[in-house]
Amino acid sequence: MDIGIGLPNTVPGTEGKALIDWARRAEEAGFSTLGTIGRLVYSGYEELIALAAAAAVTSRIRLTTSVLLAPLYTNTALLAKQAASLDRLSAGRLVLGVALGGRDDDYAASGLSTKGRGRRLEEQLTEMKRVWSGEERGLAGAIGPEPVRSGGPELILGGSTETAFERVARLGDGWIMGGGTPDMFAEAAPGVDAAWRKAGREGTARKLSLAYFALGPGAHAQANAYLLDYYGFLGDFARQVVAGAAVSAEMVKSTVAAFEAGGCDELIFVPTGSGLDQVGLLAEAIA
């Protein structure tokens, strides 16, 4: 199983230079990917912009939106161009993870309704693939640049329902669980595989998950402060999210083992703070 690390793009107070230094250290430490989490109504950096900055100072590590809330990007052709641009600038390292999101305020702030967002996401995915295929759109031809990978960047879709799994099988290259326990992952993964087989897809879907972490002195306080704020809209359930955060090297190791046993192909540890020491501490914990 590959082990990635998140950029602290949604950690309040994170300076731009910290994101740049974090990206450099993550690549040096050997992590498989840099992930970002998406939310509009919160203090943080937009994902594609944050990953473009990371792309400029790295050369190997994958760049994964885990996940970007695609229905908020209402100009689908422009989103396709942005994704293709980042893919090209990074020499094909973009993994475009998209999902619907679970917060009404993100949609309200965008002047959008949550009704029909699943249908809109499917329309977006289909449209982006047409753009990436080089379909002509005007006198000047296609919308460029051409992605590095034929057909466009790797598409990873979120969601935990049967409908979401069917969407993965029809339109995606893989599935991501946006936080949750290893048991939740192990329970959901067979549903993804079943939908994949039913759709007649070859092989298996690549399956990813997120897990939160905080390490070193003050780890518990760091995880509590960030997660209770970020997930405050969930009420008491936010404390369950906090309880699942890996706050010691032993917890990191057990989390890795549990997700690997559940069939996870890549686990992205999402930071709850932006101190650069977190990159090294996580690398040591999984060594």
Side-chain angles (χ1 to χ4, degrees), residues 31-253:
F31 289 104
S32 61
T33 198
L34 279 166
T36 55
I37 53 178
R39 185 170 178 179
L40 180 62
V41 186
Y42 199 73
S43 174
Y45 297 90
E46 194 275 337
E47 294 179 272
L48 295 175
I49 291 176
L51 288 178
V57 296
T58 58
S59 61
R60 175 199 58 80
I61 196 166
R62 287 194 292 266
L63 309 167
T64 302
T65 57
S66 53
V67 291
L68 178 144
L69 307 184
L72 302 184
Y73 295 72
T74 53
N75 186 332
T76 301
L78 179 57
L79 175 59
K81 187 179 185 74
Q82 289 173 314
S85 298
L86 177 52
D87 186 64
R88 199 81 197 178
L89 288 169
S90 65
R93 290 184 284 142
L94 175 64
V95 177
L96 188 62
V98 299
L100 302 176
R103 304 173 183 88
D104 292 347
D105 56 358
D106 287 336
Y107 284 82
S110 303
L112 300 172
S113 170
T114 57
K115 186 177 181 180
R117 57 186 176 169
R119 172 186 51 78
R120 295 203 303 272
L121 175 59
E122 295 193 12
E123 291 171 351
Q124 284 184 293
L125 295 173
T126 300
E127 174 72 359
M128 286 194 291
K129 288 183 176 186
R130 290 171 60 189
V131 170
W132 293 333
S133 72
E135 181 178 276
E136 292 191 4
R137 295 302 177 97
L139 295 176
I143 297 172
E146 181 182 353
V148 173
R149 193 180 83 151
S150 176
E154 182 181 1
L155 279 173
I156 304 295
L157 311 183
S160 57
T161 65
E162 184 176 344
T163 298
F165 299 159
E166 291 173 352
R167 185 180 297 128
V168 169
R170 286 186 290 108
L171 298 168
D173 301 302
W175 169 73
I176 184 167
M177 185 175 77
T181 66
D183 287 343
M184 292 168 64
F185 183 92
E187 183 177 342
V192 178
D193 291 334
W196 194 264
R197 291 191 299 270
K198 185 177 180 180
R201 299 286 297 270
E202 295 183 359
T204 57
R206 193 161 79 93
K207 294 182 282 294
L208 300 79
S209 186
L210 305 181
Y212 288 101
F213 83 98
L215 296 170
H220 282 281
Q222 176 179 296
N224 285 355
Y226 173 72
L227 294 173
L228 289 178
D229 183 53
Y230 191 82
Y231 287 103
F233 71 100
L234 292 176
D236 290 341
F237 184 75
R239 297 198 174 276
Q240 296 185 39
V241 178
V242 172
V247 293
S248 68
E250 292 74 23
M251 288 185 70
V252 168
K253 287 181 170 60

